[in-house]
Every structure is written in C-alpha cells, then in structure tokens.
Amino acid sequence: MSEHAVTAKQSLFTPFNVVAGLIVLMGAVLTVLRFTGGLGAVTNLSDDNPWGIWIGFDLLCGVALAAGGYTTSAACYIFGFKRFHSAVRPAILTAFLGYALVVFALHYDVGRPWRLPYPVFLSQGTSSILFEVGLCVFIYLSVLFVEYLPAFFEWQRMPKVRGFLVKLTMALTILGVVLSTLHQSSLGALFLIVPSKLHPLWYSPYLPVYFFISSMFAGLSMVIFEGSLSHRYLHHKMDQAYTSEHDGVMLGFAKAASLIMAGYLAVKLFGLSMDNRWSYLATGYGAWYLTEIIGFVALPCYLYAVAARDRNLGLVKRAAALTVIGIVVNRFNVSLVAFNWQLPPEARYFPSLGEIGISVFVVTVGVLAFRFIATRMPIFHAHPDYPESH
Amino acid sequence: MHATFTSLHDLMVHTKGVTYALMGLVLIGMVGFWLFLSGREQDETTDDHGHGH
C-alpha cells in the first residue's frame, strides 16, 4: 500500500467521520424500525399527542433557523447591502438544506408519507393554515433549490444554464421573502386554534407576528453561527473576498439582530399587556417564560449590541449561539412544554429515544450534506471562471 | 394585577390604557437603544471627518 493510500485511509477515520458514521448507522436502523413497525415502534406519539419533537424541533426549529436564506438575500439584493454578498451563498445553502431536511423529517412524522404531495396536487384544503404552510414550504424549497443551482452549474462548468439562473436572482429573492413572510408567520398561526391547550403566557393572537419576527433574528444568528463554524473547519475553502468580508458580515448581522430582538421584546410586552397575562408571571410557568424572554432574548440582544459597538467578534459568536438555543427553547415551549399544560404529568408527551435518535440523524445528514457541497462547489469562494460571483 | 372587571369594556379600557403607556415608554426606550447601538459608529464617523480636515 502506498504512503498516499495509507494517509487517505487514515484521514477518512477522523473523529468527526466516525461519530457521524455511527449516527447515520443508528438512523438507518431507526428508519427501518419506523417504516416496518409504524410510528408506534419508535415514538411516544399518540392520538392525544400527535405532534412531538419531529414537529417541535425538526420542523419548527428547522424552518426558523433556515430563515437566514431570505434575510441575507433580501439584505444584499433588495436593500442593497452589497458588502454582505459573500454571505449569500452559504446562507442559501443552509436554508436549502434546512428546508430539504424539514421535508425529509416529515416523511418520518406523517402516517402515510407517500401522500405528502396530496394537499398540493390532489386535495387542496384552501381554508386550512396547514395547507398554506405546506404549499409555501413546497414552493419555497423549489425557490431555494433554484437559488442554489448556479453554484452547482459553476462546479459542473455549464455556463449557459448558470447564466440563465443568475438572471432570475432578483425575482427569486422577492418570491423568497414573500413566501417566507407567509409561512414563517403561519407556523405560529397553526397554534391559534388551541387557546385552551396552550399556556396563556405563550398563547396570543399575535403568535404569527412573534414567529415571523423571531424567524428574522433566528436566521441572522444562524448565518453568524454557521459562518463561525465554517470559518473554523472549512477555512481552506474560503477565498480572499470571503475572509475579508467575514468580519463586516458578522458585525452588520449582529447589529441588525440586536435591533430586531429589541422590537421582538417590545411586541411580546405589548402582547402580555393586551391579553392582561401579568398574573401568570408569578407562577412556575411564569418563571420559565421569564427565563426564555430574559435569558434567551433580552440577554443576547444586549450582547449583540455591545459586540456591535465594541466590534467584538467573540461576543457576536456567543450571542449567536445563545440566540439559536433561544429559538429552539421558544419553539419547544410553544409546541411541547406549554402545550397541554393542564394535563396530569402521566398524560403529557415526552419524546422517546427513537424520536431523539431520528432528530439527531436528520441534523447529522444536514451537516454531512453541507460539508459535501461546501468542499466541492463554489460556496465560500468564487469560481475561477466567475470571479464577480462573490 | 388581580383587578376585577365587570364588563368587557372595563377590561379593554384597562389593557389598552396600560399598553398605550407601555408603547410610549418603548418608543423612548427604542430611541435610547438605537443611540447606544450606533453611538460609537457616529463617533468614529465624526473622528474620521475631524482627521480629514
């Protein structure tokens, strides 16, 4: 065996690859169990609790954290912040994979996954918010796929198709913003139908507004978070333009996220006031609500502001991580923790190990797909044939 | 806040009154927050202009 072959073999068995391989193996086993034994074989879902972490985490968190696609492309192409241009492709790729994995995870969650296209093509429930969400996710995933394709065609050296798709950029960006506005808010609107099941501190007629505003800073924070991880592990794939713009992107997004989070806090305060929910703050659920609002919104908002003022990139990264965790906490609270809050503990839902395993598997597939694409296609660098694309 | 309301009108007057007061405070707070957020940038811009002259 040559020295080169030995090195290649060694480099394949890195700690990351071994852990990812084990998770994929576990996911494959759980997938077989799920599709041969049904939902009951791997989940704690029931008719009383039909939505578990595959909705609360894979779908609600996945869609919110994939919002970086529309926020970044809107900032660059619609609002004219061209200094954020190098962040657009990584953000679009993250969003595309995020939405693709949402649909992938839905195949595990719905009882008959082969009927997923039915609501769009065969039986349109036009009075249902869930239909609107499904339709928007279907169209927006297609939009993100087309937005991502120029990088693929640059990699495959197909300039004509690539050139045609690049001309669609502005139209796709506008379509992306419209579709995201619709379905990010509608995911919150899904819970308007359960005022008696959702705790009053989390239930509000303004839930769609909360979900939409929080998706904006979730997306910005995810771009910062993903960018800092990529900067660490995929630095060798980045060109001069990307690395020189990176700090400006981080600080600009930190400032924007801070301002949006301040607005979100204000709207949440107005919601509490309009619904006269103050008395609930003195309960156990109130303590958890205040933890979410102060610890995972107000604190990162302040950290972002200080970081943007002091041009402190380390603090920006920490605030982004805290915000991403905060979004997960918020979506979990709405869909799981504060949901069915009046039921006795034994009737409440808690995810099984199988459900957690599938969610970890889905995230791992996303990370592997991101790494596969980012190490081969011009995501963090301009293709030599198209130096202006960055 | 365990105020007792005898009619929907009373409740609305109370909640809207509190909310409008909060909106006023938030409006002032937002201006302060914006000045805090971008204050140093303005300082730097002023400094740059100062050096330019």
Side-chain angles (χ1 to χ4, degrees):
Chain A
M1 198 178 284
S2 72
E3 194 180 326
H4 179 73
V6 172
T7 313
K9 196 170 184 180
Q10 281 173 344
S11 64
L12 197 65
F13 288 94
T14 59
F16 173 83
N17 284 354
V18 170
V19 173
L22 288 173
I23 292 172
V24 170
L25 197 66
M26 171 201 69
V29 173
L30 288 171
T31 301
V32 172
L33 287 174
R34 155 67 185 90
F35 288 105
T36 54
L39 284 168
V42 288
T43 72
N44 282 343
L45 298 173
S46 63
D47 288 343
D48 293 327
N49 296 296
W51 284 5
I53 59 163
W54 290 347
I55 295 296
F57 179 73
D58 299 11
L59 195 145
L60 294 183
C61 297
V63 168
L65 295 173
Y70 86 87
T71 47
T72 310
S73 53
C76 180
Y77 298 122
I78 297 177
F79 298 115
F81 291 102
K82 294 296 177 193
R83 65 179 187 275
F84 298 149
H85 193 246
S86 63
V88 172
R89 276 200 178 173
I92 291 290
L93 178 61
T94 309
F96 169 58
L97 291 175
Y99 276 85
L101 291 171
V102 163
V103 178
F104 177 63
L106 264 183
H107 283 78
Y108 288 86
D109 193 57
V110 296
R112 287 182 282 182
W114 56 91
R115 287 201 166 194
L116 266 180
Y118 274 39
V120 176
F121 296 109
L122 289 178
S123 175
Q124 296 83 3
T126 49
S127 60
S128 160
I129 292 177
L130 198 55
F131 167 70
E132 190 223 323
V133 171
L135 188 64
C136 281
V137 169
F138 165 69
I139 301 172
Y140 188 45
L141 178 59
S142 311
V143 167
L144 284 168
F145 180 60
V146 179
E147 283 188 295
Y148 148 76
L149 277 180
F152 174 81
F153 286 121
E154 284 175 16
W155 180 54
Q156 289 297 312
R157 294 184 187 276
M158 297 169 76
K160 283 187 180 171
V161 194
R162 183 253 178 210
F164 171 72
L165 292 174
V166 166
K167 286 178 188 160
L168 301 176
T169 301
M170 181 54 93
L172 291 172
T173 302
I174 294 169
L175 198 56
V177 172
V178 171
L179 290 166
S180 295
T181 308
L182 285 167
H183 74 267
Q184 293 283 1
S185 57
S186 293
L187 282 173
L190 282 176
F191 292 90
L192 290 179
I193 204 171
V194 287
S196 58
K197 288 186 178 181
L198 190 55
H199 190 280
L201 282 173
W202 282 274
Y203 182 84
S204 166
Y206 309 113
L207 263 173
V209 181
Y210 297 161
F211 267 57
F212 177 58
I213 300 176
S214 60
S215 82
M216 284 192 256
F217 62 77
L220 294 172
S221 301
M222 195 60 194
V223 172
I224 296 172
F225 185 67
E226 169 269 309
S228 58
L229 286 180
S230 301
H231 215 71
R232 190 167 176 178
Y233 297 108
L234 296 169
H235 193 76
H236 58 289
K237 292 288 169 189
M238 295 168 181
D239 63 8
Q240 177 65 27
Y242 183 90
T243 47
S244 63
E245 286 181 16
H246 180 70
D247 294 357
V249 170
M250 300 264 278
L251 293 170
F253 278 26
K255 188 178 174 184
S258 178
L259 198 61
I260 298 168
M261 289 171 102
Y264 177 74
L265 283 170
V267 176
K268 290 285 271 192
L269 187 66
F270 299 152
L272 271 184
S273 172
M274 282 300 286
D275 298 333
N276 201 33
R277 306 292 199 213
W278 304 106
S279 59
Y280 289 99
L281 291 177
T283 63
Y285 273 102
W288 180 233
Y289 178 82
L290 289 173
T291 305
E292 180 198 315
I293 294 297
I294 296 171
F296 294 107
V297 185
L299 179 62
C301 170
Y302 175 71
L303 293 179
Y304 268 140
V306 172
R309 270 172 64 90
D310 297 346
R311 304 182 70 78
N312 183 340
L313 294 176
L315 197 56
V316 171
K317 290 174 193 172
R318 282 194 284 279
L322 199 58
T323 308
V324 169
I325 295 170
I327 285 295
V328 175
V329 169
N330 172 258
R331 299 307 194 252
F332 267 31
N333 282 342
V334 172
S335 64
L336 301 170
V337 179
F339 197 79
N340 277 334
W341 65 289
Q342 287 167 316
L343 290 183
E346 61 273 15
R348 299 287 304 274
Y349 160 84
F350 193 82
S352 68
L353 283 176
E355 289 174 86
I356 297 169
I358 287 291
S359 289
V360 173
F361 166 64
V362 168
V363 173
T364 307
V365 168
V367 172
L368 290 173
F370 186 91
R371 193 180 69 159
F372 179 86
I373 294 171
T375 50
R376 284 163 180 78
M377 300 177 204
I379 302 296
F380 293 109
H381 61 272
H383 192 280
D385 296 347
Y386 311 97
E388 82 289 354
S389 68
H390 247 232
Chain B
M1 289 192 187
H2 280 287
T4 306
F5 302 103
T6 52
S7 68
L8 180 62
H9 180 261
D10 283 352
L11 175 70
M12 296 295 280
V13 168
H14 174 78
T15 56
K16 285 205 170 189
V18 173
T19 308
Y20 287 156
L22 282 173
M23 282 179 173
L25 291 173
V26 165
L27 195 62
I28 297 165
M30 276 292 184
V31 174
F33 184 70
W34 174 253
L35 291 174
F36 171 73
L37 192 59
S38 57
R40 203 157 285 179
E41 282 174 25
Q42 286 163 1
D43 291 347
E44 284 167 10
T45 315
T46 315
D47 287 348
D48 290 346
H49 281 297
H51 289 303
H53 288 289

